[in-house]
Amino acid sequence: VSDFDAIYQEYGKTVYCFLLSLSRDETLSEELTQETFYRAIRSSGKFDGNCKVSTWLCQIAKHIWYQELDRRRRKKTEPLQ
């Protein structure tokens, strides 16, 4: 995967909408979309073309969403008695 500007233009809205359907939070979805493309750039050498680019990006986004849920679970505190 070489031209990430073109890839972002083509798939950015798809990834954002996917994350919005999971999070129901526009701001968080924007942040996670940025993180998705950052990680995609970092791991572009691992993309072997066995699936569509949109599938690959949504898989990355899904893993980022799971990490966000895990982070929230760990951060949640019980009120003091």
Side-chain angles (χ1 to χ4, degrees), residues 61-76:
K62 180 182 73 171
H63 289 290
I64 291 170
W65 171 243
Y66 287 155
Q67 289 174 341
E68 175 66 18
L69 289 177
D70 190 45
R71 184 188 67 77
R72 288 180 180 197
R73 279 189 214 108
R74 284 183 275 133
K75 187 177 177 183
K76 198 178 264 187

Side-chain angles (χ1 to χ4, degrees), residues 30-46:
E30 289 174 9
E31 291 173 14
L32 297 181
T33 298
Q34 291 175 7
E35 180 67 18
T36 297
F37 280 89
Y38 170 72
R39 291 193 192 178
I41 289 168
R42 283 185 34 215
S43 65
S44 62
K46 296 178 184 177

Side-chain angles (χ1 to χ4, degrees), residues 19-38:
L19 288 164
L20 185 60
S21 74
L22 296 173
S23 71
R24 306 277 188 228
D25 181 325
E26 292 177 3
T27 304
L28 178 60
S29 296
E30 289 174 9
E31 291 173 14
L32 297 181
T33 298
Q34 291 175 7
E35 180 67 18
T36 297
F37 280 89
Y38 170 72

Side-chain angles (χ1 to χ4, degrees), residues 5 10 28 55 58 64:
D5 247 358
E10 187 168 348
L28 178 60
T55 302
C58 286
I64 291 170

Side-chain angles (χ1 to χ4, degrees), residues 4 10-11 14 16 37 45 47 52-55 57 68 71:
F4 273 94
E10 187 168 348
Y11 300 107
T14 300
Y16 169 79
F37 280 89
F47 180 69
K52 296 190 292 186
V53 174
S54 60
T55 302
L57 291 169
E68 175 66 18
R71 184 188 67 77

